[in-house]
Amino acid sequence: HIIINMHHHDSLYEKPSQQKERFLSQWSQIASYFKNYPDSLLFEVLNEPHGNLSASMWNEYFASALAEIRKTNPTRVVLMDVADYGGLGSLSKLALPADEFIILSPHYYNPFPFATQGAAWVPGADAWLGTRWYDTEGERQTVANEFSHALHFSKINHVPLHVGEFGAYSKADMESRGRWTTFLSRWFEEH
């Protein structure tokens, strides 16, 4: 499967009301261009909505973009990211449109001090250098606890989950990254 994803739309994050018409026009054009492609092509409307694009605005903008997409792609699968950078914490703010071809796409970079240690784009991340992942029962349970609401949301709303991004930055030690990635990959597959 291939996912066409709108990424780093900084002008939309900064001035959403001024960029809404442009954003919807972009999706209208993308959808029209790819309308005859096979079902293995998916659309992801916007990566990690954040900034001045609030959660309530994101719900509205996603629904509007989906309406544009549905004009030419009535059954194409469309991925919906979660507001506030795609994290699980904003799942409760999400308003799913009534559409059977949506997949929810949260991102996962937790525990944050482990996954982002030393990352230049995260203020204070150098203080976390040396944080390890040991793959203990407690660490595994934390993942399960953090995803419990998402799994429940998925079940009651009949919407599949696709963890669109997860990873640990390269400044974490390789052994910890290997344990973390292996556990998460198998856990995501299981659920």
Side-chain angles (χ1 to χ4, degrees), residues 138-160:
E139 289 169 326
R140 288 176 174 215
Q141 189 59 51
T142 297
V143 171
N145 292 345
E146 290 180 344
F147 269 95
S148 64
H149 181 61
L151 292 170
H152 179 71
F153 185 92
S154 170
K155 183 177 181 179
I156 65 169
N157 289 289
H158 308 286
V159 61

Side-chain angles (χ1 to χ4, degrees), residues 117-146:
Q117 60 185 288
W121 61 91
V122 178
D126 283 347
W128 303 326
L129 288 169
T131 304
R132 298 180 61 89
W133 170 268
Y134 296 101
D135 197 24
T136 66
E137 277 305 311
E139 289 169 326
R140 288 176 174 215
Q141 189 59 51
T142 297
V143 171
N145 292 345
E146 290 180 344

Side-chain angles (χ1 to χ4, degrees), residues 54-117:
S54 67
S56 61
M57 289 177 84
W58 169 234
N59 289 328
E60 175 193 335
Y61 283 37
F62 178 84
S64 297
L66 184 65
E68 287 299 319
I69 292 167
R70 291 294 176 241
K71 289 176 183 177
T72 54
N73 292 261
T75 61
R76 183 159 318 277
V77 173
V78 177
L79 282 77
M80 182 178 192
D81 281 34
V82 181
D84 302 321
Y85 291 97
L88 295 170
S90 291
L91 193 57
S92 63
K93 301 174 188 175
L94 198 64
L96 281 175
D99 188 296
E100 63 183 293
F101 299 102
I102 293 176
I103 295 177
L104 184 60
S105 186
H107 295 175
Y108 193 71
Y109 293 99
N110 287 350
F112 202 67
F114 166 72
T116 64
Q117 60 185 288

Side-chain angles (χ1 to χ4, degrees), residues 26-54:
Q26 290 166 332
W27 271 110
S28 176
Q29 293 171 62
I30 293 166
S32 179
Y33 184 85
F34 290 102
K35 67 184 178 185
N36 294 320
Y37 275 62
D39 291 345
S40 57
L41 176 70
L42 287 64
F43 294 154
E44 184 171 2
V45 173
L46 185 65
N47 181 71
E48 298 184 352
H50 64 277
N52 293 321
L53 183 60
S54 67

Side-chain angles (χ1 to χ4, degrees), residues 167-187:
Y169 189 53
S170 61
K171 291 198 177 179
D173 68 284
M174 181 56 85
E175 293 79 17
S176 291
R177 285 188 286 145
R179 288 187 295 265
W180 183 83
T181 303
T182 299
F183 171 70
L184 286 177
S185 297
R186 299 301 77 81
W187 196 86

